[in-house]
Amino acid sequence: MTATQSDLVVVSNRLPIDVTVDDDGGRTYRHSPGGLVTALEPVLKQRAGAWVGWPGAPDLGFDPIRLDGVLSIPVSLTSEEIADYYEGFSNSTLWPLYHDVITPPEYHREWHEAYRAVNAKFAEVAAGAVAEGGTVWVHDYQLQLAPSMIKQLRPDARVGFFNHIPFPPEALFAQLPWRREILTGLLGADLIGFQRAQDAGNFRSCVRRLTGLTTRGHHIFVPESDGSVRDVLSAAFPISIDSAAVDARAHLPRVQARAREIRSELGNPDRVLFGVDRLDYTKGIAHRLKAYEELLREGRLTVPGVVMVQVASPSRGNVSAYQTLRDDVETTVGRIAGDFGSLGSPAIHYLHQNQDADEMAALYLAADVMLVTALRDGMNLVAKEYVAARVDGRGALVLSEFTGAADELRQALLVNPHDIDGLKGSILRAVAMSPKEQRRRMQALRRRVLEHDVGAWAESFLGALAGR
Ligand code: G6P
């Protein structure tokens, strides 16, 4: 193993660092701790691991840099690559296709060309970074061609892939002009992980129907050029959060004081309804707002007894579907505010801003009813964060059955967000839920989320990959 090669290499679209460039062109590199980083940090440190990814701005290249024990290796992308590979093929073709075509996917050959070229770039960097017999773990839909490219360059390496978003049923996936290439790209991995058993099942039926390969149980048999047959395993590994960290934060006196302050700033209403999402059309924000607006119009909820807080973190602002969504959401928020609020007693607070971890924990603690109404979501970590933050055993979670989280969080009030009357009924039920019922449900939810944290997830995936 050379000094620059690592036993474990993680590959994802984004590198978990923030690079800031000051006026003189000087750069500061800071570790940016997302959930995935927290999960993988211990094992990356232990195995002197590396992380390969795009640093998040155009034409940003630098030598590999070690921060907090993890070597970050950049893949520099031009503005054109970002437009075609990231905003185009990843977020205007694959993202809507994999999320039930909520918005119509666009198929453009030049986007696909860029996707293939950028995947090749990532694969080359990853293949150069992994030590003899080491492990490469590729993440998410932006990099589905990378597994087979890496396998070709480095047949000695173990390759794992985890899809953080849903995998669509064959009837939808079949639309993709490059469907076989994507499946073959993924099949370069020795282990392919999905959020739900349903996703893994969809993947295997796509493989059977569109490539003609044979599957048995969770296994797919891939013939190699030398006449041998490779056994690829595909299974569900539901991701989680750093539950202990969220729980610990919610215990902090400053966070609990902030939660009380938030309630008082909201006018100490009887019930605070809360939603927090990346501003994405998959999250069902419009359905949630429609249900709330109708309940207010019908007088079944009234201000100032009830108030809604919606935090929408800015996302993919260069993609037109996201711009339209923002306009739609903000029009509805404006109508609700205008029709049902009064001076000092708004019906809804809307923040199009990121919140830091303390503020998020305080908001969760201040929220009587958490609304997760996604139309399709690989997992939905907000639902798990809410549960982990409710150290007081209170609060009610309204959770869409179209999220991966719904497979595990059975004691939530499960809803079909398309059924507006059903959603309204569940919101009213959550608003009226007795403290005793809140505790009973929350205790069971907390047991699941605290036991199955992101560390356990990473361990189970890497354990399964090591066994291949
Ligand atoms: C989802 C995807 C991630 C992605 C994240 C934020 O969770 O599964 O791969 O990083 O959204 O989206 P962005 O486009 O800002 O990276």
Side-chain angles (χ1 to χ4, degrees):
M1 176 163 115
T2 69
T4 51
Q5 291 192 317
S6 308
D7 183 39
L8 175 63
V9 176
V10 171
V11 189
S12 71
N13 176 52
R14 298 267 178 140
L15 207 53
I17 64 175
D18 274 335
V19 186
T20 41
V21 184
D22 63 27
D23 294 343
D24 313 325
R27 288 181 187 167
T28 317
Y29 300 91
R30 234 176 281 112
H31 201 71
S32 97
L36 195 56
V37 192
T38 322
L40 298 178
E41 216 165 53
V43 41
L44 281 170
K45 279 183 182 162
Q46 190 192 328
R47 293 169 70 169
W51 199 306
V52 170
W54 169 49
D59 301 313
L60 195 55
F62 46 86
D63 289 334
I65 179 171
R66 193 171 289 282
L67 293 171
D68 280 348
V70 178
L71 189 68
S72 283
I73 310 178
V75 177
S76 176
L77 299 181
T78 64
S79 305
E80 203 181 347
E81 284 171 331
I82 294 164
D84 291 349
Y85 144 81
Y86 170 71
E87 286 154 5
F89 201 76
S90 296
N91 289 322
S92 305
T93 305
L94 296 173
W95 180 269
L97 179 65
Y98 283 32
H99 289 89
D100 292 357
V101 302
I102 296 167
T103 271
E106 288 180 48
Y107 303 113
H108 296 300
R109 284 163 287 185
E110 63 278 24
W111 289 357
H112 163 254
E113 282 304 320
Y115 183 80
R116 186 194 281 156
V118 170
N119 269 251
K121 266 189 170 181
F122 274 80
E124 210 163 291
V125 176
V130 68
E132 181 70 28
T135 298
V136 183
W137 188 1
V138 183
H139 290 263
D140 230 355
Y141 63 102
Q142 304 95 343
L143 297 172
Q144 293 174 95
L145 301 179
S148 68
M149 292 170 166
I150 295 168
K151 209 35 155 197
Q152 253 173 29
L153 294 166
R154 291 296 304 272
D156 60 293
R158 251 194 204 96
V159 180
F161 179 88
F162 184 76
N163 199 47
H164 290 249
I165 70 172
F167 198 88
E170 196 247 341
L172 295 180
F173 184 75
Q175 286 185 10
L176 188 67
W178 309 281
R179 58 201 191 184
R180 275 178 65 98
E181 186 189 14
I182 294 283
L183 295 173
T184 311
L186 289 169
L187 288 169
D190 303 297
L191 172 64
I192 308 175
F194 296 92
Q195 300 282 25
R196 307 177 92 162
Q198 193 183 80
D199 300 315
N202 286 345
F203 173 68
R204 285 190 302 267
S205 8
C206 287
V207 167
R208 277 193 304 272
R209 306 278 290 268
L210 301 168
T211 71
L213 293 178
T214 312
T215 68
R216 196 170 59 234
H218 291 174
H219 298 264
I220 303 158
F221 302 102
V222 183
E224 295 294 308
S225 48
D226 63 1
S228 64
V229 173
R230 215 158 44 84
D231 171 359
V232 176
L233 179 64
S234 63
F237 295 86
I239 202 170
S240 191
I241 56 166
D242 188 355
S243 330
V246 177
D247 171 274
R249 197 180 289 278
H251 274 104
L252 294 174
R254 65 163 191 267
V255 169
Q256 301 208 343
R258 177 63 190 143
R260 286 189 294 275
E261 190 180 56
I262 288 172
R263 288 194 73 95
S264 122
E265 285 170 2
L266 294 172
N268 283 316
D270 301 329
R271 289 289 182 266
V272 175
L273 312 186
F274 183 42
V276 52
D277 316 83
R278 239 179 356 90
L279 187 48
D280 195 296
Y281 49 81
T282 57
K283 303 293 182 182
I285 301 171
H287 296 64
R288 180 186 315 165
L289 292 175
K290 188 178 181 73
Y292 182 53
E293 183 175 4
E294 287 190 12
L295 288 170
L296 291 172
R297 209 166 291 288
E298 292 158 2
R300 295 157 84 189
L301 289 179
T302 49
V303 180
V306 159
V307 64
M308 182 185 277
V309 177
Q310 175 66 51
V311 173
S313 45
S315 187
R316 305 179 189 165
N318 289 332
V319 177
S320 72
Y322 290 75
Q323 294 162 358
T324 310
L325 170 77
R326 183 173 176 193
D327 290 345
D328 292 348
V329 165
E330 293 181 357
T331 300
T332 309
V333 165
R335 191 173 56 237
I336 295 174
D339 285 357
F340 301 105
S342 57
L343 291 179
S345 303
I348 185 162
H349 292 257
Y350 170 75
L351 301 173
H352 182 242
Q353 296 155 28
N354 288 309
Q355 307 295 316
D356 68 24
D358 267 19
E359 186 71 0
M360 277 307 305
L363 281 161
Y364 288 137
L365 276 173
D368 302 290
V369 176
M370 182 77 219
L371 298 170
V372 177
T373 56
L375 306 178
R376 182 57 74 192
D377 208 332
M379 177 50 63
N380 195 283
L381 296 178
V382 162
K384 292 190 172 181
E385 281 175 10
Y386 180 63
V387 167
R390 291 318 302 233
V391 293
D392 56 354
R394 297 290 295 271
L397 172 63
V398 174
L399 177 62
S400 163
E401 54 191 67
F402 301 115
T403 62
D407 280 0
E408 297 170 72
L409 306 183
R410 304 305 295 175
Q411 296 79 8
L413 295 179
L414 296 177
V415 293
N416 168 6
H418 297 282
D419 171 9
I420 300 295
D421 286 335
L423 177 55
K424 285 159 71 181
S426 296
I427 292 175
L428 290 178
R429 225 180 124 200
V431 162
M433 194 184 284
S434 70
K436 195 169 157 215
E437 186 180 352
Q438 288 177 30
R439 264 199 206 92
R440 181 176 58 73
R441 288 175 180 268
M442 196 51 82
Q443 262 168 16
L445 291 168
R446 286 179 59 75
R447 213 172 301 126
R448 169 71 198 176
V449 172
L450 288 166
E451 269 168 21
H452 180 71
D453 67 0
V454 73
W457 165 80
E459 222 171 88
S460 71
F461 185 93
L462 287 170
L465 182 55
R468 299 265 70 219

